[in-house]
Amino acid sequence: MSDNPGDDNDTSVLVETRPKTKRPPLYKVLLLNDDYTPMEFVVHVLERFFGMTHAEAFEIMLTVHKKGVAVVGVFSHEIAETKVGQVMDFARRHQHPLQCTMEREE
Ligand code: TYC
């Protein structure tokens, strides 16, 4: 019988021992070059929405201008979405074609 001493009667649940260390994915926010948005406007965007100093903002703006694109920050999905929305809205309100997008980090 199953209640006899010595019987193998272990009904306990097997415990998953693999530690669950998965972190939520991060998203790169990218700024794209165009031929029309004034350089000073881009510098202002980077100061205002990404907390850069004037020198940092100027350097990143020049990188985008020369290379076509640059990562301007890495955030959670929600924060990245908010930043993209803020930049796109601000650019549209000022009638500049500046483009900002986000991309999942590997
Ligand atoms: N290429 C623009 C110009 O010459 C400047 C610029 C830089 C535009 C960065 C967009 O993300 C950008 N006025």
Side-chain angles (χ1 to χ4, degrees), residues 92-105:
R92 201 192 56 243
R93 271 159 38 216
H94 289 83
Q95 298 182 284
H96 295 311
L98 182 65
Q99 294 294 307
C100 185
T101 60
M102 60 194 272
E103 193 175 278
R104 193 177 160 147
E105 210 181 46

Side-chain angles (χ1 to χ4, degrees), residues 31-40 42 60-66 68 98-99:
L31 205 60
L32 277 60
N33 189 36
D34 66 73
D35 292 338
Y36 305 103
T37 305
M39 290 185 172
E40 318 83 72
V42 178
I60 300 285
M61 180 281 296
L62 269 190
T63 301
V64 179
H65 176 69
K66 290 182 201 161
L98 182 65
Q99 294 294 307

